[in-house]
């Protein structure tokens, strides 16, 4: 059955508008108003048709490079805090955060596999835009946490990620030929994976206005400014508020510390480990951790590039009531 389903998905994918990526080394396909890799698309179409959410599932949603790894670490540490009291034994010490939270459109493609009991591990993650989520996620009232980030920093993070993540995989030969100008062009016309970025953000922004109890909307910059505040907020939102006793013990502060960029990026697993080795999504764990600062775009983008992104941001957000600052 799976083979014939795969063939059906291949047929759907072959009929979609496509653009070349990286001088023909790959393609990006337009599906339901957003652009995806062929590998991700098979999983996406499959979960849209078959994934059945349970009301207690909690989704961590984001466009790529906006704070996904950090949000996964924080949410995972919050919901499992009673099971992994001993810091030395914490799963985050032995696995990259991406391996602690299943990725909907990759890990849950087969509904019988990998689905954990949501009472024990309710977290799932996705890069899918709100409008393309499997229907049961919204209809069953699952909670969602969305994180976004300034578009210029998001693009710059993506650029560095490409150059750090691709070596050692099937795109090795592309790395020297990567061009900042071309990548910016794709980011601006919306055709980088899961783009257009601005539409991705606005989809969840609108959903959070309509259903504030179901969608918690966060900004990377806010999280950087006052991480403890947002860890408490996340705990409350996910139905795992910190008790007075936990507050006295500094439980929220300890989670912030455990999930800090310094702590996670210094772990052996995140220095030398690999994520999804042997698959088209393979990358070095260290590529998920870089500088983690606000405004790093100033170190890479020319004034012209900066203006270009700002103009699109201004135009896309006009009238939405949302702003990145
Ligand atoms: P993904 O979509 O591939 O999972 P994602 O985690 O969303 O990537 O984004 C990576 C960014 O988050 C990197 O930003 P930078 O390139 O500007 O440095 C990375 O450094 C940052 N990041 C990862 N972990 C943390 C953390 N624990 N705290 C703060 N920022 C983090």
């Amino acid at each position: 059955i799976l083979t014939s389903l795969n063939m059906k998905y291949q047929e759907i994918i072959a009929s979609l508008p496509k653009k070349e990526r990286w001088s023909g080394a790959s393609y990006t396909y337009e599906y339901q108003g957003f652009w995806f890799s062929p590998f991700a698309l098979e999983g996406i179409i499959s979960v849209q048709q078959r994934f059945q959410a349970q009301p207690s599932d909690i989704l961590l949603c984001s466009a790529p490079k906006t704070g996904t790894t950090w949000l996964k670490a924080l949410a995972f540490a919050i919901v499992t805090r009673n099971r992994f009291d001993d810091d030395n034994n914490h799963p985050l010490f032995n696995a990259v955060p991406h391996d602690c939270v299943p990725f909907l459109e990759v890990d849950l493609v087969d509904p019988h596999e990998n689905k954990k009991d949501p009472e024990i591990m309710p977290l799932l993650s996705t890069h899918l835009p709100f409008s393309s989520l499997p229907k049961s996620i919204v209809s069953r009232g699952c909670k969602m946490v969305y994180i976004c980030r300034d578009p210029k920093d998001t693009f710059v993070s993506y650029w560095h990620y490409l150059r750090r993540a691709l070596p050692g995989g099937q795109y090795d030969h592309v790395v020297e030929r990567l061009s900042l100008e071309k990548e910016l062009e794709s980011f601006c016309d919306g055709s980088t994976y899961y783009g257009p970025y601005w539409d991705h953000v606005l989809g969840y922004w609108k959903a959070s206005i309509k259903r504030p109890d179901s969608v918690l909307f966060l900004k990377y910059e806010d999280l950087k400014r006052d991480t403890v505040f947002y860890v408490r907020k996340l705990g409350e939102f996910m139905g795992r508020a910190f008790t007075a006793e936990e507050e006295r013990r500094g439980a929220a502060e300890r989670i912030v510390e455990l999930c800090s960029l310094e702590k996670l990026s210094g772990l052996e697993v995140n220095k030398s480990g690999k994520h999804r080795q042997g698959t088209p999504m393979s990358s070095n764990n260290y590529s998920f951790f870089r500088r983690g600062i606000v405004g790093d775009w100033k170190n890479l983008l020319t004034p012209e590039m900066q203006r270009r992104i700002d103009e699109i941001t201004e135009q896309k957000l006009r009238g939405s009531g949302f702003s990145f600052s």
Side-chain angles (χ1 to χ4, degrees):
I1 295 171
L2 272 179
T3 318
S4 63
L5 271 177
N6 286 348
M7 280 170 61
K8 208 174 96 207
Y9 300 152
Q10 293 297 343
E11 269 172 38
I12 298 174
I13 294 169
S15 72
L16 299 173
K18 68 175 176 179
K19 284 188 188 172
E20 247 184 40
R21 301 278 292 129
W22 308 324
S23 318
S26 186
Y27 285 91
T28 175
Y29 291 83
E30 189 183 24
Y31 177 67
Q32 300 179 340
F34 288 82
W35 293 84
F36 304 97
S37 74
F39 176 71
L41 258 178
E42 266 189 50
I44 290 166
I45 300 170
S46 167
V47 291
Q48 284 182 335
Q49 294 182 353
R50 299 188 296 157
F51 178 74
Q52 290 303 323
Q54 301 183 43
S56 49
D57 287 335
I58 300 172
L59 269 102
L60 307 177
C61 315
S62 60
K65 313 325 295 177
T66 60
T68 320
T69 312
W70 193 15
L71 178 63
K72 283 185 188 179
L74 290 169
F76 180 80
I78 294 169
V79 303
T80 62
R81 67 186 185 274
N82 294 328
R83 271 191 291 148
F84 304 116
D85 237 5
D86 178 2
D87 278 352
N88 293 321
N89 258 337
H90 204 286
L92 285 170
F93 288 149
N94 300 309
V96 67
H98 290 283
D99 287 337
C100 297
V101 178
F103 191 32
L104 175 70
E105 57 268 35
V106 177
D107 295 318
L108 298 173
V109 171
D110 178 343
H112 303 296
E113 264 180 30
N114 294 317
K115 183 90 165 81
K116 305 231 166 59
D117 178 351
E119 297 308 323
I120 298 171
M121 180 41 197
L123 300 173
L124 306 174
S125 72
T126 183
H127 279 327
L128 273 174
F130 183 81
S131 51
S132 290
L133 289 172
K135 295 279 169 283
S136 61
I137 291 175
V138 177
S139 67
R140 300 213 177 139
C142 296
K143 293 203 170 188
M144 291 171 235
V145 180
Y146 184 72
I147 188 159
C148 72
R149 186 180 190 185
D150 173 87
K152 297 192 289 299
D153 279 340
T154 301
F155 170 70
V156 167
S157 182
Y158 159 76
W159 166 253
H160 289 294
Y161 173 77
L162 281 183
R163 300 193 313 155
R164 286 151 59 94
L166 296 181
Q170 59 169 336
Y171 298 120
D172 233 351
H173 59 292
V174 175
V175 180
E176 300 104 67
R177 284 189 283 143
L178 283 175
S179 137
L180 180 66
E181 286 70 23
K182 276 195 190 148
E183 289 308 320
L184 180 71
E185 198 54 47
S186 303
F187 184 74
C188 289
D189 77 18
S191 64
T192 45
Y193 296 153
Y194 295 92
Y197 176 57
W198 299 266
D199 298 357
H200 202 287
V201 174
L202 284 175
Y204 281 95
W205 169 252
K206 287 178 191 153
S208 75
I209 300 289
K210 201 167 155 196
R211 305 184 179 85
D213 294 339
S214 300
V215 185
L216 175 65
F217 190 97
L218 301 175
K219 295 179 189 172
Y220 182 89
E221 294 77 12
D222 289 342
L223 211 61
K224 286 285 293 185
R225 200 169 24 79
D226 193 348
T227 317
V228 178
F229 173 84
Y230 285 99
V231 161
R232 292 199 181 106
K233 199 171 171 120
L234 269 168
E236 263 167 47
F237 179 77
M238 296 191 296
R240 274 110 174 138
F242 289 84
T243 62
E245 159 58 17
E246 285 180 309
E247 288 294 359
R248 266 195 298 281
R249 282 192 279 119
E253 286 82 357
R254 284 178 60 182
I255 286 175
V256 172
E257 168 75 28
L258 168 71
C259 300
S260 70
L261 183 64
E262 295 68 33
K263 181 87 177 178
L264 294 181
S265 61
L267 297 169
E268 197 49 48
V269 62
N270 295 330
K271 286 200 279 191
S272 58
K274 285 215 179 239
H275 178 59
R276 299 194 192 284
Q277 202 159 9
T279 74
M281 293 181 81
S282 151
S283 54
N284 306 306
N285 287 350
Y286 69 76
S287 58
F288 295 110
F289 307 93
R290 202 180 57 90
R291 302 186 70 182
I293 58 171
V294 173
D296 197 33
W297 58 266
K298 292 181 191 127
N299 297 313
L300 183 74
L301 302 184
T302 64
E304 177 55 35
M305 292 171 161
Q306 169 207 332
R307 246 193 322 275
R308 172 114 194 260
I309 300 183
D310 283 345
E311 272 171 23
I312 299 174
T313 303
E314 147 79 34
Q315 181 206 328
K316 286 271 194 182
L317 301 193
R318 199 174 296 149
S320 69
F322 173 72
S323 125
F324 283 100
S325 48

